[in-house]
Amino acid sequence: MNKKFMIIDGSSLIFRAFYAIRNLTTKDGIFTNGVYGFLNMYYRVVDEYKPDNICVVFDKSAPTFRHEDYEAYKGHRDKAPSELSSQFGILKDILNSLNVKFEEQDGYEADDIAGTLAKKAQEENYDTILVTGDKDYLQLVDENIKVLLTRRGITDVDEYNEESVEEKYELKPIQLIDVKGLMGDPSDNIPGVPGVGEKTALKLIREYDSIENVYANIDNISGKALKKKLEENETLAYLSKKLGTIFLEVPMDIDIEKYKIEEPNYEELKEKYEKLEFNSFIKKLPTEEIEYEEDFEYVFIKDSSKILDKLKKSKKDFAFHLFYNGSNYIHSKPEILSFKIIGEEKVYIYILKDEKELLDFKEIFENNSITKLSYDLKSDIYYLLRNGIDLKVPYEDLTVAEYLIDPSKNSYDIDKTAKLYLNRDLFSNEEIFGKGKKKKNLADIEEEQLGNYIGMYMSVTEDLRKTLTEIIEERQMHDLYFNVELPLIKVLASMEVEGFEVDAGYLTDLGDKFNEEILELEEKIYEDAGMEFNINSPKQLGEVLFDKLQLPVIKKTKTGYSTDAEVLDKLKGSHKIIERILRYRTVKKLTTTYIDGLIKLIGEDGRIHSTFNQTIAVTGRISSIDPNLQNIPVKTEEGRLIRKAFVAGEGKKLVDADYSQIELRVLAHLANDEVMLQFFKEGLDIHRKTASEVFNVDFDKVTSLDRSNAKAVNFGIVYGIGDYSLSQDLNITRKEAREYIENYLNTYKGIKKYMEEIVEVGKEQGYVETIMHRRRYIPELNSKNFNIRGFGERVALNTPIQGSAADIIKIAMIEVYNKLKEKNLKSKLILQVHDELIIEATEDEVEEVTNLLKEIMENAVKLKVDLKVDINIGDSWYESK
DNA sequence: GCAATCACG
DNA sequence: ACGTACGTGATTGCT
């Protein structure tokens, strides 16, 4: 018996189902009819035919080679409605969980890929079953190749083999191409011979076998009119035949075994079916929980030399982790060191008496021939680095791996990850440590529970490696993971260890000044209000302004009156209390967040050690907490004073480099907008140039208002602007805003096209990508809620821009870090602020560092537009920015 | 634990 | 989940 290979035309079935099943949506308005119909069919045919291998094929929206022959090919066909196109992404996502491979290729249609696969399978003695709603597939029927054709919607199928085709049409399957060549196909805009319909075409081919032979015998054709039509349209007939022929040589690596049926990921399927409200399919999923046999044994060791010996002798990769108390490792210390050598059962647990003991393990961590694995590796690297140990590559971190697979998660916890990817039930952090005030320390946990917790942690770390790395490889994120995100961990840990020197005395003095002013302002505000109240409470403030003082209400929030700066700005002049409140807010913010907040976090070394989070921002940016050093004031002179507290150490300087207009440059690159690319090439002020084009004035005559308006539009575009928001931002009417945007998009036509295309791509794929293939899924694109979908569309536009810029600076950081190390320089990278890098450089190295920083940043990646970096040097961040 | 506000790119 | 711009984090008040 031959093996059975089933090829399913996903595009055709989803299309059929979409029109056959009406109005099937989830309660959130996600259209699911196409996907539902497909799955119904899928389960039915798989049950009935029990194939050994399965592949689903899709059309791809790019123009196919057929358009080169005939421009009008499928010309009048309307674009699929968004309710349908949005379902392709959902279906592919489900296929992934079903572990069913799918194929699609630019320039080819689903039937071409199906045909190519079927012929190849035929050579390898498979019995192939093609499942589709498209009658054209019948031309592929052959020995060992059958077609299942849906009939009336998708409820029934007809099975065609060689005999049944011949019976029905009295022709060989391959001759159906000739029939189509003569009769054409209005749905694909294939012309055929005008005036020749199915009846005539069938008759002619039955009689003469092929189009070629029809023309060879043209004089024998009975019927003058028919003969004339044929003669006049000979080229058209041949062209139509060519267009109607399924292409059997799609260039692709074919390995039919790749499509072998695999066990689906039932956990994922259940989740996805629940989201889509496919209850009937949930019932099909196996219900019994798979019992997991624990494959580790934990050992508490008293003497570190025991495990040390083992690790030194072992040539195998190992998982490890340093466990600490509390939620922030920087303000804590490592308590427990655990190892698990890959493939071995034992999980070694060693309770550190002092973190200095880590030095005993230096040789192991600095061995560059074995891979070290961890879940939450940055904390480990931080502790090692803090103790003079440089964890050498190769190393891998499963937290980061999981983040790359889906950056939208709120947290990356090992118990949830283990459940999702390995279907293993772990104790949660909360179960072990408790929560709130009762939260326990590691030392308070009973030994057996601790052993099981750490044992599972290590064993799961080991097992996740294969599962997660496979997904990363499949998605072509190898480079992003291994050459960007993983090396970056060490760079971030190093910045955390280095910290930023802060002048506490200066901050205190500044704080005293601000506090004095706050006291004065409070008094005056109470006077203005005629009562004392808590100015910090928006509720109380609202009552004072809008009830007591009867000022006009500008805007409301969910809970009451809005009192934000925008509202207060509009109320300026109507009461002297307003300006005082604005001033109070400004000064209060500076003292609480930036003076008191920062002073609290200055370490014993006089430096602030922020924590950089690599797995928070969905776009790929890094974020900074405890404290956030990425939002230190700069926009107002008063706020900027805070930056005088951030200083270079003794005998050092700050070298501050920032990318000029990186997001607009990335946009110009992604959109391939000739006009904007050219403007950047000319090195002109891009906002001024934009103003000159959009408002149609000479470059030299652009007013500063024009320029700042153009600047707002440039920024707005990057965020997926709307006329409403722009009008608010620029204080102009909505109509004017609409005109600005229109003019803008007429100037930058490439950007206009890109904006439309990227949304379509997002809908089709279910995600968008950065230049490094960083992925963000956007389920919001499927919402029928106008606002949510609008949000999805803006995100689809903005994420590739913001995310690619993040990719670029990350690459630069790694190269800068490595170069400083390679050249044995003492200067260190200490901070990144999205488009800005700060190096604390020793005075003798300033020049060299300046040069290498600029060189590396400007050449981190090669885009269609040059990257430009501005550098400033100073003793404090105030001077260097 | 959430909402409002405001700091940054 | 968002009455209309993307991405973050800290502080304060209040339930």
Side-chain angles (χ1 to χ4, degrees):
Chain A
M1 248 295 255
N2 288 344
K3 281 199 192 163
K4 285 191 227 164
F5 181 26
M6 179 175 275
I7 304 170
I8 305 177
D9 185 333
S11 296
S12 162
L13 290 192
I14 208 170
F15 195 82
R16 279 295 173 110
F18 180 77
Y19 290 105
I21 308 168
R22 281 287 148 202
N23 297 329
L24 184 65
T25 62
T26 66
K27 60 180 186 316
D28 301 331
I30 301 173
F31 279 84
T32 56
N33 50 351
V35 177
Y36 183 83
F38 177 94
L39 287 173
N40 236 332
M41 183 68 146
Y42 172 85
Y43 279 117
R44 184 131 47 86
V45 293
V46 169
D47 267 359
E48 192 177 332
Y49 289 88
K50 302 203 168 27
D52 301 287
N53 302 39
I54 297 188
C55 177
V56 178
V57 293
F58 289 102
D59 293 328
K60 209 149 182 203
S61 52
T64 73
F65 65 91
R66 291 185 177 84
H67 293 92
E68 289 168 22
D69 287 328
Y70 185 58
E71 231 177 292
Y73 179 67
K74 292 200 174 175
H76 69 270
R77 184 173 283 191
D78 288 334
K79 246 189 174 171
S82 70
E83 293 85 2
L84 171 58
S85 62
S86 63
Q87 294 188 51
F88 283 94
I90 303 176
L91 177 56
K92 287 171 191 171
D93 191 37
I94 288 177
L95 289 175
N96 279 330
S97 300
L98 280 166
N99 276 325
V100 170
K101 307 276 184 306
F102 58 86
E103 298 288 350
E104 58 189 341
Q105 200 156 315
D106 276 338
Y108 297 96
E109 292 179 41
D111 54 2
D112 299 323
I113 300 174
T116 305
L117 286 171
K119 288 296 167 188
K120 173 83 176 171
Q122 189 180 32
E123 285 169 23
E124 295 181 15
N125 288 323
Y126 283 86
D127 285 335
T128 299
I129 306 143
L130 294 156
V131 187
T132 180
D134 180 355
K135 247 171 45 181
D136 287 345
Y137 272 73
L138 293 179
Q139 63 181 266
L140 294 172
V141 168
D142 202 344
E143 197 187 343
N144 300 341
I145 301 181
K146 282 193 284 202
V147 168
L148 295 185
L149 198 57
T150 56
R151 195 171 58 184
R152 283 198 316 271
I154 51 154
T155 43
D156 283 320
V157 288
D158 289 327
E159 184 182 316
Y160 287 89
N161 55 22
E162 275 187 290
E163 292 81 51
S164 50
V165 170
E166 281 171 38
E167 197 180 308
K168 182 163 175 177
Y169 294 100
E170 296 167 40
L171 286 172
K172 296 258 178 231
I174 194 86
Q175 291 177 296
L176 294 172
I177 305 173
D178 295 90
V179 174
K180 191 167 176 180
L182 290 179
M183 66 185 270
D185 183 346
S187 71
D188 286 349
N189 230 19
I190 294 180
V193 175
V196 174
E198 187 176 359
K199 286 262 160 61
T200 319
L202 279 169
K203 191 177 134 249
L204 285 170
I205 300 300
R206 277 174 196 150
E207 195 172 342
Y208 296 105
D209 287 341
S210 68
I211 293 183
E212 287 78 2
N213 208 33
V214 167
Y215 282 103
N217 292 287
I218 192 79
D219 292 333
N220 302 332
I221 304 281
S222 55
K224 255 193 168 166
L226 175 60
K227 189 178 162 201
K228 189 165 172 242
K229 275 184 279 185
L230 285 167
E231 278 176 331
E232 278 172 1
N233 294 292
E234 185 168 355
T235 17
L236 215 45
Y238 286 121
L239 174 64
S240 298
K241 177 171 175 178
K242 191 173 170 200
L243 290 172
T245 305
I246 292 175
F247 185 66
L248 300 176
E249 274 152 37
V250 175
M252 55 191 288
D253 289 332
I254 303 176
D255 172 13
I256 308 291
E257 274 310 286
K258 189 172 94 185
Y259 306 113
K260 206 156 128 189
I261 289 203
E262 288 174 47
E263 196 73 2
N265 183 332
Y266 294 117
E267 280 298 315
E268 275 180 34
L269 277 181
K270 182 153 183 265
E271 224 172 82
K272 285 167 190 171
Y273 287 165
E274 271 166 5
K275 225 180 247 169
L276 297 168
E277 299 166 15
F278 287 168
N279 296 324
S280 60
F281 298 139
I282 295 175
K283 282 187 203 134
K284 284 185 195 285
L285 300 174
T287 44
E288 60 189 308
E289 290 277 309
I290 302 154
E291 275 294 310
Y292 194 87
E293 189 96 6
E294 290 305 343
D295 58 352
F296 65 85
E297 182 193 337
Y298 64 82
V299 197
F300 282 87
I301 50 171
K302 293 267 178 297
D303 181 3
S304 66
S305 64
K306 218 170 128 189
I307 171 68
L308 213 45
D309 281 350
K310 260 204 144 36
L311 286 164
K312 279 182 187 163
K313 279 186 204 131
S314 162
K315 296 272 183 295
K316 288 189 210 147
D317 298 346
F318 63 80
F320 82 104
H321 188 50
L322 286 160
F323 294 85
Y324 51 89
N325 286 320
S327 54
N328 184 317
Y329 55 86
I330 288 183
H331 304 109
S332 186
K333 64 186 178 59
E335 306 282 347
I336 294 173
L337 171 58
S338 179
F339 286 101
K340 183 174 190 295
I341 294 173
I342 299 306
E344 296 184 10
E345 270 194 356
K346 289 224 167 69
V347 173
Y348 298 99
I349 302 172
Y350 180 66
I351 299 173
L352 292 159
K353 292 168 211 74
D354 187 309
E355 69 177 283
K356 296 240 161 25
E357 276 182 280
L358 288 172
L359 270 172
D360 297 341
F361 296 85
K362 190 175 167 82
E363 184 185 329
I364 288 153
F365 289 121
E366 295 190 352
N367 179 338
N368 57 18
S369 62
I370 56 175
T371 302
K372 307 95 191 161
L373 304 176
S374 179
Y375 192 89
D376 186 19
L377 182 66
K378 183 154 62 66
S379 62
D380 300 320
I381 298 187
Y382 174 84
Y383 283 138
L384 294 177
L385 218 47
R386 183 160 98 174
N387 288 284
I389 301 162
D390 182 16
L391 186 84
K392 288 269 161 46
V393 287
Y395 57 73
E396 294 171 25
D397 178 10
L398 289 314
T399 322
V400 168
E402 196 190 351
Y403 165 71
L404 290 187
I405 290 168
D406 182 4
S408 306
K409 296 220 155 98
N410 291 325
S411 65
Y412 298 88
D413 299 318
I414 198 160
D415 57 313
K416 287 189 210 126
T417 312
K419 184 70 186 158
L420 179 61
Y421 291 97
L422 305 172
N423 195 26
R424 286 178 64 168
D425 291 298
L426 256 64
F427 301 118
S428 68
N429 253 311
E430 210 174 290
E431 281 171 278
I432 304 281
F433 298 99
K435 61 171 182 175
K437 277 187 208 143
K438 282 194 233 150
K439 198 160 176 184
K440 290 186 209 163
N441 279 335
L442 286 157
D444 307 327
I445 313 287
E446 190 230 330
E447 189 170 287
E448 189 184 333
Q449 203 184 14
L450 187 64
N452 276 316
Y453 171 71
I454 293 179
M456 281 207 236
Y457 195 104
M458 304 307 287
S459 141
V460 163
T461 302
E462 173 180 346
D463 294 348
L464 282 173
R465 183 191 199 182
K466 182 166 176 280
T467 311
L468 300 187
T469 318
E470 249 175 44
I471 301 174
I472 283 174
E473 296 291 345
E474 268 169 30
R475 296 188 185 176
Q476 277 145 24
M477 296 166 101
H478 177 100
D479 195 29
L480 176 63
Y481 182 49
F482 287 99
N483 299 330
V484 181
E485 295 297 335
L486 289 178
L488 185 72
I489 300 173
K490 199 151 115 180
V491 181
L492 297 179
S494 162
M495 297 194 322
E496 291 170 353
V497 171
E498 294 302 327
F500 204 145
E501 182 156 316
V502 172
D503 183 343
Y506 169 81
L507 277 184
T508 312
D509 291 347
L510 191 58
D512 289 344
K513 228 176 75 192
F514 285 150
N515 276 323
E516 235 172 78
E517 192 180 351
I518 287 174
L519 288 175
E520 286 167 21
L521 282 165
E522 273 173 359
E523 263 180 50
K524 289 197 177 125
I525 288 168
Y526 297 151
E527 237 172 70
D528 292 339
M531 62 184 279
E532 287 198 8
F533 66 101
N534 188 342
I535 309 167
N536 298 314
S537 162
K539 184 164 172 267
Q540 294 181 38
L541 178 62
E543 282 157 11
V544 168
L545 296 183
F546 306 112
D547 293 338
K548 191 145 192 294
L549 300 178
Q550 288 289 305
L551 296 173
V553 177
I554 310 281
K555 193 167 68 170
K556 289 199 148 194
T557 67
K558 277 181 221 167
T559 50
Y561 305 119
S562 169
T563 68
D564 66 18
E566 198 190 313
V567 170
L568 297 184
D569 230 41
K570 292 208 169 90
L571 291 172
K572 252 192 214 166
S574 57
H575 199 290
K576 60 185 188 230
I577 194 172
I578 299 295
E579 298 210 31
R580 286 179 176 143
I581 288 164
L582 281 165
R583 178 71 191 154
Y584 173 89
R585 284 241 177 104
T586 306
V587 185
K588 186 84 182 175
K589 177 89 178 178
L590 289 174
T591 49
T592 54
T593 305
Y594 297 106
I595 298 203
D596 303 342
L598 286 175
I599 289 173
K600 261 187 265 171
L601 289 164
I602 300 177
E604 285 168 19
D605 56 357
R607 301 176 72 93
I608 283 183
H609 301 266
S610 174
T611 305
F612 297 102
N613 206 320
Q614 196 178 354
T615 59
I616 288 283
V618 280
T619 53
R621 277 188 174 179
I622 59 173
S623 80
S624 159
I625 55 169
D626 298 323
N628 181 353
L629 293 187
Q630 292 178 323
N631 72 346
I632 304 300
V634 70
K635 285 172 184 163
T636 63
E637 176 53 28
E638 198 146 37
R640 273 186 61 150
L641 290 175
I642 301 286
R643 294 186 173 222
K644 287 191 173 174
F646 287 85
V647 295
E650 185 74 43
K652 295 178 183 168
K653 294 274 184 194
L654 297 177
V655 181
D656 186 315
D658 69 289
Y659 279 113
S660 160
Q661 307 294 350
I662 190 165
E663 293 200 342
L664 268 188
R665 286 172 200 261
V666 166
L667 173 60
H669 168 83
L670 290 172
N672 197 8
D673 187 291
E674 305 279 347
V675 177
M676 192 179 273
L677 287 172
Q678 179 59 30
F679 291 171
F680 273 124
K681 203 172 208 168
E682 288 165 11
L684 299 168
D685 171 347
I686 193 73
H687 299 312
R688 178 169 291 271
K689 190 72 195 174
T690 301
S692 140
E693 293 294 321
V694 172
F695 306 129
N696 199 19
V697 287
D698 281 354
F699 185 81
D700 301 320
K701 298 246 168 68
V702 171
T703 65
S704 64
L705 180 65
D706 289 339
R707 185 184 179 278
S708 95
N709 284 352
K711 184 174 173 182
V713 185
N714 269 329
F715 273 103
I717 289 289
V718 169
Y719 301 143
I721 202 168
D723 52 13
Y724 174 82
S725 315
L726 185 67
S727 71
Q728 292 288 301
D729 192 33
L730 294 183
N731 231 334
I732 55 179
T733 67
R734 222 167 143 164
K735 183 159 170 280
E736 286 169 315
R738 202 158 46 236
E739 281 167 10
Y740 280 19
I741 296 171
E742 209 170 286
N743 286 344
Y744 185 98
L745 295 177
N746 276 327
T747 303
Y748 300 122
K749 295 203 173 64
I751 291 177
K752 180 177 184 185
K753 185 152 171 270
Y754 176 73
M755 289 173 76
E756 291 159 3
E757 280 171 359
I758 192 68
V759 169
E760 269 315 300
V761 167
K763 274 186 189 162
E764 265 185 40
Q765 302 183 139
Y767 62 86
V768 293
E769 281 187 314
T770 67
I771 54 172
M772 290 299 293
H773 303 300
R774 185 190 302 283
R775 214 178 254 204
R776 176 180 183 177
Y777 287 88
I778 314 179
E780 291 89 347
L781 286 174
N782 296 320
S783 173
K784 77 167 182 194
N785 177 311
F786 177 79
N787 291 314
I788 297 172
R789 196 173 61 250
F791 172 70
E793 288 167 0
R794 295 192 293 274
V795 161
L797 171 70
N798 177 259
T799 299
I801 301 171
Q802 190 179 120
S804 298
D807 292 347
I808 293 168
I809 198 164
K810 281 177 167 180
I811 292 168
M813 288 168 77
I814 294 160
E815 288 181 17
V816 167
Y817 177 86
N818 288 338
K819 184 63 89 182
L820 290 175
K821 194 163 225 185
E822 176 197 315
K823 294 186 131 187
N824 262 321
L825 298 175
K826 294 179 289 300
S827 305
K828 305 280 187 193
L829 191 54
I830 58 171
L831 187 60
Q832 184 251 47
V833 192
H834 311 308
D835 62 357
E836 170 187 8
L837 293 180
I838 302 182
I839 287 182
E840 187 182 29
T842 57
E843 271 163 14
D844 58 315
E845 291 175 2
V846 166
E847 197 184 331
E848 189 174 4
V849 163
T850 304
N851 293 336
L852 76 84
L853 191 54
K854 192 170 161 76
E855 171 72 16
I856 291 175
M857 287 175 76
E858 290 187 341
N859 296 294
V861 295
K862 183 95 192 102
L863 301 184
K864 290 172 191 138
V865 55
D866 285 341
L867 293 175
K868 188 165 164 277
V869 168
D870 297 317
I871 294 204
N872 287 293
I873 298 159
D875 291 313
S876 76
W877 200 1
Y878 180 90
E879 294 170 28
S880 69
K881 179 68 187 173

